[in-house]
Amino acid sequence: MLEHDAGQSPPSSPAVELPFEPLDSRVLGLFRLSSFIGALFLLTPASAILAVLTWQTLLPAWLAAIALTGFLALSAWLVFVYPRLHLRSWGFRIEDGVFELKHGVIVQRRVHIPLSRLQHVDIRRGPLERHLGLATLMLHTAGTSHALQTVPGLDPARAAQLRDRFLRFEGDDAV
């Protein structure tokens, strides 16, 4: 048994942080599809420019082939590798009346939203999200620069559960 001096309080155990909850793994398909569409916007004009420059003999065919191979490799990385890294970077948790988000592959962000400052919460389900059985939670706060925060790739039931929890939160209303 540990003994303590009469005037001292017992040592407190360190606070245990809750782990971050990941996004639904089905969002990987949505991230990949979005990256594919972005890669098309990169690859299509680049291919057309390379074709015109090669046809006009302003660029040797071998150089155009190397450039096109580079664009294809970059597009493949954007479609197959980056979305998985993006998915792994996402997480959220609710602790002590604060909703915390983390995300970002290259630039990592951590956002802390006091639940008492939420103005309203929406759930958005676009056509691709509905097809994949996903939803996006949209959190509106007072302010201008980051007044809207979104959490993509949630199961619709989980998104509704979070929304309902936020709406039931009774915290300090003071501004």
Side-chain angles (χ1 to χ4, degrees), residues 4 22 42 48 57 70 79 84 101 103 119-120 126 155:
H4 301 287
L42 169 73
T57 65
V79 172
R84 185 164 297 282
L101 292 167
H103 59 92
Q119 299 207 334
H120 64 276
D155 182 82

Side-chain angles (χ1 to χ4, degrees), residues 34-110:
S34 298
S35 292
F36 176 74
I37 292 168
L40 281 179
F41 280 103
L42 169 73
L43 199 55
T44 303
S47 300
I49 290 169
L50 289 173
V52 169
L53 290 176
T54 304
W55 181 61
Q56 294 290 325
T57 65
L58 298 173
L59 185 67
W62 65 269
L63 191 55
I66 290 173
L68 188 57
T69 302
F71 286 133
L72 285 171
L74 176 61
S75 296
W77 186 84
L78 287 172
V79 172
F80 296 107
V81 177
Y82 185 80
R84 185 164 297 282
L85 297 173
H86 187 56
L87 173 61
R88 286 184 191 157
S89 77
W90 266 97
F92 62 92
R93 65 182 170 196
I94 305 168
E95 192 169 27
D96 297 329
V98 174
F99 186 67
E100 183 178 359
L101 292 167
K102 72 174 185 76
H103 59 92
V105 175
I106 297 168
V107 177
Q108 297 176 348
R109 293 186 62 205
R110 274 208 151 149

